[in-house]
Amino acid sequence: MKRLVISTLLVLQVLVGWAQTESKVTGLVVDSKTKQPLQGVVVSVENSALTTFTNELGQFTIDKAPVGSQIVSVVSAGFNRQLLNVKIEEGQTLDLGTIVLAEDQTEEQQLALITIVENDLGDDNSGSENTAGLLQATRDVYQQAAAFNWGQARFRIRGLDNEYGTTMINGVVMNKILDGRPQWGNWGGLNDATRNQEFTFGTAPSDYTFGGILGTQEINTRASIYRPGSRVSFAGTNTNYTYRIMGTHASGMNKDGWAYVISAGRRWATEGYFEGTDYDANSLFASVEKKLGESHSLNFTAIYAQNKRGRNSANTQEVTDLAGVKYNSWWGYQEGERRNSRIREVEEPVFMLSHYWKINDKNKLNTNVMHQFGKIGNSRIDAAEQATGIDANGNSIGFLWEPTYYRNLPSYYTSLWNLDDYTDFQGDDPANVALANQARQTFLNNRQINWDAIYRANRSSVDGRSNYILYEDRTDDKLWVANSILSSQLSDNIALNAGVSYRTLRSENFQNVLDLLGGTYFADYDFFFTGDAAQPDLNNPNRNVGVGDRYGYNYILRANTLDAFTQFRFNYRKVDFYLAQSFTATNYQREGLYRNGIYPNNSFGKSENVDFENFAFKGGFTWKLTGRNFINFNGAYLTKAPTMRNTFFNARLNNNVVDNIQSESVSSMDLSYILRTPTFKLKLTGFLTRVRNATTNTFFFADAVLDEGGADGAESAFVAQTMTAVARRNMGVEFGSEYQITSTLKATVAASYGEYIFDSNPNLFLNSDSTAAENADILTPVSSRGQALLKNYRQPGMPQQAYSFGLEYRDPKFWWIGANVNYLADTYIDIAPLLRTNDFVTNFQDPFNLPFPEATPERTRELLKQEKFDPYTLVNLTGGKSWRIKGNTFGFFASVNNVFDVTYKTGGFEQPRNSNFRLLNQDVSSGTPAFGNRYFYGFGRTYFINLYINF
């Protein structure tokens, strides 16, 4: 496919165009309610580079318009898009007269969407990523369905993680260097302030960047482009938060050349949809622009979006059957108040200075300097020992800080086997059945964290040492970005976009003590090890730490990236095409601030520099069959540096770089047929994407994972698992259509059918702290486990089939109602690669390392079959109404998602703890596995109501 893409790009360079004939299109755009002219409305000829804006009088002129049947698009944030079917005569001026734009009430769906997106931010699990947030700016039928209707099921466009898309603010890339993903929470709660957006889908050309294969989202915060006025809104929902209030005011450009926008919001909940998930978020936004003559303008943007929310646990089917779908094991009552142990807090302000230079009518230069700093913290309980608690009556209440620990649950007893005889099942012994019943009752009586018991345990310590503390995994970033973007109209038919950007990051990563939970200090000592290996920092051994102190691990990651791109667009009467290319240089380095006792020779100080140089090429064309029928092709080939997170084996504890780490290679192409008329729109797309040489890192606890381990699980370890040479193949079909049945009734149909698979057997490596502790002289204690046999397994955590049908009625009296029926299928669990290696069936207790005798091929395939979730149907309702009273607009928007309260799994993962055949087979064969798959569930019936006033 690489050869095909490159060949296509070469062919595009020799295409011969047809010259355009000079003609003009003029018109006036007004608000449907106020009848006042609208400034800054984008008016363009579809499938051409001809775009202009309305002036302060609402007027526009498009020069050198192409002759023949064309479609003129009229777009402004907050209004319904107008598509006008026109016929342009050669050498004539076509006056479209007065074009009336009606307020777009459906944009309120964006306010509901953000509750889905924010639930998925940075949970560090395979079931939590979707790409819905990337689609807030679009009005394409298919993409609307993907965002607003399928987003609740964690649908991913083309099966791609959001690191393959590019999110920008004022032309500055906002994707994190650590993991490549945008942190939408950095501007969460500022929906009104971030509505001015441009979106390009897939590898289609963007004016601001080369972009990713998923698409480019550009958020523009230039103060002068906001519609003057004020807006206040209040919302209620039963999703992540309960209430939200927002206020925004835009001044417009005054006669002295000043414009400003201010916005603020607050969202909060004592408990969200899932148990114990509190929410507290505050957001502030300011943008000020000063016009410096006719050619220059300066704009300053400040964004502060603090978000603090309680997270919810992924549970096994056993736990869900006992406690329900909404059950969350990570919280408990403390003196009668709910307290969640897993709090995620994001607080990373953004400050940006932008310079806009209109060099002349054909050349513009935008230069930005951005600084972002702040923190991201994820809290949890740390325990010096896994002690059980005693209730007021002297009865055992299981582990104080982990209610769903496997020894607390009935399955621990009903899945037991005789360790000396692997065929002797003991889970049905009367004694074990009685213990299981007792465990069931104990769990039901003590199903949450017992905070009061934890405090009692710490306060009863002889010397005041805390056995339990609350800490956070903390990241403090300091990021500087400088970039310039040039837009140039080289000729009537050729446009150039070019840019250069430099980013430099200093990221501090450490464990931070938040609460001693009744004690006076905590010993910075790893109780799983002895001697020097138990010391997190041999340079400062036997430390006692208190609130606000760092402990456990402490290191700095540094990154520098330089990238540049050029893009040429060619526009002719019958064909448009583009060519783009980019170059990126990337440098990573780790600096350990602790000399870890497990890795004494390779943890303190600076690591080697890790450098990557990457190139990217893309191109495409639009063939205008008629003024309404188009063929569109996009193709790209690029190399992509691995993220900083995946470059180091175990950055928390050592400087080891993944052996022979390489850049990913990515190729992508799509071909579309597009039909556009004023009443009917259709787009059918086929796509194919291949990713090669990807690297992934995960961490988990496994039994019998070491070579010297046995089937009894005596040798267990916390391991870092790295896979290299990971390949993925994503192919499928997308369909979207819209039909305006009458002037008030519209029908939509959208569909996505994909096959997203792993396309290689990657190399798997384990970095075990236990092995390293026993071999301190080894600089790189990493063991190769050969290939993980993943080829043709499905990629996890998303529906690979999705279908939607919708009806929407819009009354001329400014009220509307809509309904969508959505069918989603082919969602698969995240498999454990370690179980797909040859070691899985090897009995290391056997002197010849022969396979387990009971490991037949049939049983092995049965155990390793990837779980596929049941399909489900979700019905969503939306509606709204607005009134114009004395020059002010009052309105509301309401939605009900999953009307019939369907319970469905959105993702999950296999637990790799049983890392050999015998352990897994015994656990599964018991019928009540102690280490069953863990699942994520979607929301049941939810509502969102928003009341607003524009004045």
Side-chain angles (χ1 to χ4, degrees):
M1 190 177 73
K2 174 181 174 181
R3 290 193 298 267
L4 176 59
V5 171
I6 294 176
S7 298
T8 304
L9 300 183
L10 292 174
V11 170
L12 291 174
Q13 298 185 62
V14 298
L15 286 177
V16 178
W18 292 261
Q20 295 174 318
T21 303
E22 292 191 14
S23 304
K24 291 185 178 181
V25 178
T26 63
L28 170 68
V29 182
V30 301
D31 187 317
S32 65
K33 290 184 178 179
T34 66
K35 308 305 180 186
Q36 296 298 310
L38 293 174
Q39 182 179 1
V41 176
V42 181
V43 184
S44 61
V45 178
E46 289 283 281
N47 295 292
S48 78
L50 297 175
T51 300
T52 189
F53 298 89
T54 57
N55 60 22
E56 63 275 8
L57 301 177
Q59 301 167 338
F60 68 88
T61 298
I62 298 177
D63 293 317
K64 301 177 181 178
V67 300
S69 296
Q70 305 292 339
I71 295 179
V72 174
S73 170
V74 185
V75 181
S76 182
F79 292 92
N80 289 320
R81 180 182 185 181
Q82 284 269 34
L83 289 178
L84 306 175
N85 192 25
V86 302
K87 187 173 183 179
I88 302 173
E89 301 291 343
E90 184 175 349
Q92 301 296 315
T93 297
L94 176 62
D95 186 357
L96 298 180
T98 301
I99 301 170
V100 179
L101 291 188
E103 183 179 5
D104 183 7
Q105 295 171 317
T106 61
E107 73 170 1
E108 298 299 326
Q109 290 178 339
Q110 293 182 23
L111 310 180
L113 169 65
I114 206 69
T115 68
I116 298 169
V117 172
E118 287 181 357
N119 190 48
D120 299 334
L121 296 179
D123 280 345
D124 296 330
N125 57 62
S126 62
S128 69
E129 290 298 332
N130 71 52
T131 53
L134 197 66
L135 302 174
Q136 295 178 62
T138 182
R139 288 292 180 264
D140 178 277
V141 173
Y142 170 79
Q143 295 156 28
Q144 282 193 80
F148 303 133
N149 293 305
W150 305 337
Q152 60 192 310
R154 294 191 171 120
F155 178 80
R156 297 183 200 169
I157 296 288
R158 298 185 179 177
L160 296 171
D161 187 275
N162 51 42
E163 70 171 285
Y164 291 98
T166 302
T167 299
M168 314 181 80
I169 297 180
N170 298 335
V172 175
V173 174
M174 301 301 294
N175 296 54
K176 292 287 187 181
I177 295 178
L178 177 65
D179 60 9
R181 300 185 176 108
Q183 178 60 259
W184 282 302
N186 286 157
W187 52 91
L190 296 169
N191 309 69
D192 293 334
T194 58
R195 286 185 176 180
N196 296 314
Q197 301 185 17
E198 297 179 42
F199 181 78
T200 55
F201 190 44
T203 59
S206 166
D207 291 344
Y208 309 95
T209 182
F210 183 91
I213 60 172
L214 179 60
T216 301
Q217 178 184 26
E218 156 67 7
I219 301 171
N220 194 329
T221 64
R222 186 175 182 179
S224 61
I225 70 172
Y226 288 80
R227 187 163 32 127
S230 302
R231 177 186 175 93
V232 175
S233 65
F234 179 82
T237 180
N238 66 335
T239 51
N240 294 326
Y241 54 82
T242 305
Y243 302 108
R244 189 207 63 204
I245 186 168
M246 291 196 312
T248 303
H249 174 73
S251 69
M253 184 66 73
N254 66 20
K255 62 180 181 180
D256 296 321
W258 286 94
Y260 69 88
V261 181
I262 54 174
S263 185
R266 172 163 171 74
R267 293 157 293 160
W268 70 98
T270 302
E271 184 174 63
Y273 181 82
F274 294 99
E275 294 178 2
T277 52
D278 52 325
Y279 196 100
D280 184 84
N282 300 282
S283 306
L284 297 171
F285 171 91
S287 180
V288 180
E289 181 179 354
K290 172 58 178 174
K291 189 175 181 181
L292 306 172
E294 293 300 318
S295 300
H296 297 273
S297 184
L298 283 177
N299 194 95
F300 176 75
T301 299
I303 302 173
Y304 172 81
Q306 171 269 334
N307 184 297
K308 187 176 182 180
R309 62 183 181 88
R311 296 164 59 189
N312 60 287
S313 58
N315 301 317
T316 63
Q317 190 63 52
E318 176 188 19
V319 171
T320 299
D321 292 341
L322 287 170
V325 170
K326 294 185 180 182
Y327 173 70
N328 177 15
S329 66
W330 290 342
W331 72 279
Y333 285 104
Q334 180 182 339
E335 297 180 348
E337 298 291 331
R338 292 187 184 92
R339 184 178 184 182
N340 195 316
S341 65
R342 301 289 185 99
I343 298 292
R344 177 171 176 82
E345 184 170 9
V346 178
E347 189 173 359
E348 296 184 302
V350 176
F351 298 97
M352 188 181 303
L353 182 65
S354 303
H355 175 245
Y356 299 92
W357 180 16
K358 183 179 179 181
I359 302 172
N360 51 45
D361 289 341
K362 294 186 177 182
N363 296 281
K364 298 177 182 178
L365 185 68
N366 171 211
T367 302
N368 305 279
V369 176
M370 186 194 81
H371 180 47
Q372 184 178 24
F373 61 92
K375 66 178 183 179
I376 297 178
N378 290 282
S379 71
R380 64 175 63 200
I381 294 174
D382 195 0
E385 56 189 26
Q386 295 208 12
T388 58
I390 305 298
D391 66 14
N393 299 319
N395 299 315
S396 173
I397 56 176
F399 288 90
L400 298 174
W401 57 283
E402 193 174 354
T404 57
Y405 184 65
Y406 75 102
R407 291 176 180 264
N408 290 355
L409 299 173
S411 60
Y412 172 69
Y413 302 96
T414 57
S415 62
L416 288 175
W417 294 71
N418 185 337
L419 296 180
D420 297 323
D421 183 357
Y422 69 86
T423 64
D424 182 15
F425 175 59
Q426 298 183 340
D428 55 359
D429 288 352
N432 286 331
V433 172
L435 288 172
N437 290 331
Q438 181 181 341
R440 180 181 295 104
Q441 193 57 50
T442 300
F443 171 75
L444 292 175
N445 293 338
N446 305 278
R447 47 180 263 173
Q448 304 303 148
I449 294 173
N450 194 323
W451 290 103
D452 294 336
I454 288 175
Y455 272 80
R456 286 196 300 269
N458 283 342
R459 286 168 179 161
S460 64
S461 173
V462 174
D463 60 355
R465 177 173 67 89
S466 292
N467 286 317
Y468 310 93
I469 64 169
L470 188 71
Y471 79 97
E472 65 178 344
D473 292 305
R474 178 82 164 267
T475 300
D476 288 5
D477 282 356
K478 292 183 179 179
L479 173 69
W480 285 95
V481 183
N483 79 331
S484 283
I485 303 170
L486 174 69
S487 299
S488 179
Q489 191 69 40
L490 301 179
S491 69
D492 292 344
N493 308 106
I494 304 173
L496 166 68
N497 300 108
V500 60
S501 175
Y502 175 73
R503 297 194 289 172
T504 182
L505 171 69
R506 183 182 190 274
S507 178
E508 297 183 24
N509 299 265
F510 54 93
Q511 286 184 188
N512 177 49
V513 180
L514 294 175
D515 193 335
L516 293 170
L517 303 179
T520 58
Y521 74 92
F522 185 73
D524 188 13
Y525 189 89
D526 192 334
F527 288 86
F528 287 100
F529 298 96
T530 59
D532 285 352
Q535 297 291 340
D537 185 11
L538 290 173
N539 295 335
N540 295 282
N542 300 315
R543 296 173 63 237
N544 293 328
V545 295
V547 173
D549 288 339
R550 302 184 182 192
Y551 81 106
Y553 65 84
N554 188 13
Y555 64 96
I556 297 171
L557 290 176
R558 292 184 174 87
N560 296 280
T561 66
L562 174 68
D563 64 80
F565 85 99
T566 58
Q567 176 178 273
F568 294 89
R569 296 197 199 190
F570 304 85
N571 297 279
Y572 298 97
R573 181 177 178 182
K574 297 295 289 186
V575 65
D576 300 336
F577 65 96
Y578 68 93
L579 299 167
Q581 45 278 316
S582 75
F583 168 77
T584 304
T586 304
N587 169 266
Y588 301 142
Q589 186 180 52
R590 177 191 186 270
E591 180 182 0
L593 303 180
Y594 285 176
R595 183 168 171 250
N596 187 272
I598 302 174
Y599 306 93
N601 302 316
N602 198 29
S603 55
F604 183 73
K606 294 181 179 180
S607 73
E608 63 181 278
N609 280 295
V610 188
D611 297 302
F612 302 94
E613 291 187 352
N614 301 101
F615 297 87
F617 305 92
K618 71 177 181 180
F621 66 85
T622 299
W623 180 16
K624 308 169 190 177
L625 303 175
T626 68
R628 299 182 176 186
N629 296 271
F630 311 92
I631 299 293
N632 178 260
F633 171 82
N634 299 283
Y637 176 78
L638 58 102
T639 60
K640 177 177 177 288
T643 64
M644 192 157 53
R645 168 176 288 172
N646 292 329
T647 299
F648 299 91
F649 273 118
N650 186 358
R652 289 187 175 187
L653 300 185
N654 62 59
N655 284 337
N656 296 331
V657 176
V658 173
D659 295 337
N660 300 315
I661 190 167
Q662 300 180 38
S663 294
E664 294 181 19
S665 61
V666 183
S667 54
S668 178
M669 61 168 54
D670 60 69
L671 181 66
S672 301
Y673 167 71
I674 303 167
L675 172 64
R676 290 176 180 168
T677 74
T679 59
F680 183 68
K681 304 179 186 68
L682 178 148
K683 183 177 181 181
L684 176 64
T685 301
F687 63 88
L688 172 63
T689 298
R690 290 182 182 271
V691 176
R692 293 287 183 271
N693 292 324
T695 302
T696 65
N697 260 341
T698 53
F699 301 86
F700 56 87
F701 194 88
D703 284 336
V705 70
L706 307 179
D707 287 357
E708 63 271 22
D712 60 358
E715 291 294 338
S716 302
F718 183 80
V719 299
Q721 174 186 275
T722 300
M723 289 196 301
T724 62
V726 179
R728 306 181 188 93
R729 190 195 72 195
N730 295 27
M731 61 185 300
V733 177
E734 301 164 341
F735 175 80
S737 68
E738 172 185 310
Y739 179 54
Q740 195 72 41
I741 302 172
T742 68
S743 61
T744 57
L745 184 64
K746 179 174 68 177
T748 59
V749 176
S752 178
Y753 182 89
E755 182 185 75
Y756 313 137
I757 63 172
F758 290 102
D759 202 27
S760 71
N761 294 321
N763 305 312
L764 189 145
F765 303 88
L766 293 183
N767 182 177
S768 166
D769 294 344
S770 297
T771 301
E774 297 171 3
N775 301 275
D777 58 327
I778 299 177
L779 286 179
T780 309
V782 177
S783 63
S784 171
R785 294 307 174 100
Q787 290 186 323
L789 304 178
L790 303 187
K791 188 174 177 65
N792 293 325
Y793 275 97
R794 294 293 186 116
Q795 297 174 42
M798 57 189 162
Q800 300 197 13
Q801 289 190 56
Y803 307 92
S804 178
F805 172 73
L807 285 174
E808 179 183 280
Y809 174 80
R810 285 181 171 274
D811 193 90
K813 296 183 179 179
F814 302 106
W815 66 268
W816 64 277
I817 188 170
N820 286 88
V821 180
N822 306 277
Y823 177 80
L824 300 116
D826 288 3
T827 302
Y828 292 84
I829 202 159
D830 192 0
I831 58 176
L834 182 60
L835 307 186
R836 275 81 183 173
T837 64
N838 289 330
D839 287 354
F840 175 68
V841 296
T842 302
N843 183 1
F844 290 108
Q845 284 192 326
D846 184 277
F848 300 102
N849 287 344
L850 294 175
F852 293 103
E854 70 272 30
T856 64
E858 294 77 18
R859 181 56 177 164
T860 302
R861 283 193 296 269
E862 187 177 353
L863 286 177
L864 299 183
K865 183 179 180 180
Q866 188 175 20
E867 182 181 356
K868 178 181 177 181
F869 301 149
D870 293 334
Y872 47 94
T873 300
L874 305 178
V875 176
N876 303 328
L877 300 177
T878 57
K881 168 68 175 168
S882 65
W883 298 265
R884 185 75 178 177
I885 303 175
K886 295 183 178 180
N888 302 318
T889 300
F890 297 82
F892 76 89
F893 166 83
S895 69
V896 179
N897 280 2
N898 193 0
V899 173
F900 297 106
D901 200 22
V902 175
T903 298
Y904 60 98
K905 296 172 182 174
T906 60
F909 55 92
E910 295 177 347
Q911 296 195 69
R913 177 144 183 166
N914 288 322
S915 58
N916 70 31
F917 176 91
R918 181 164 292 171
L919 289 176
L920 182 61
N921 185 45
Q922 289 178 341
D923 198 32
V924 171
S925 298
S926 71
T928 57
F931 297 104
N933 298 336
R934 290 183 176 267
Y935 302 108
F936 303 97
Y937 290 86
F939 291 138
R941 184 186 301 112
T942 59
Y943 67 86
F944 184 91
I945 301 174
N946 187 55
L947 308 174
Y948 63 91
I949 176 173
N950 296 338
F951 56 95

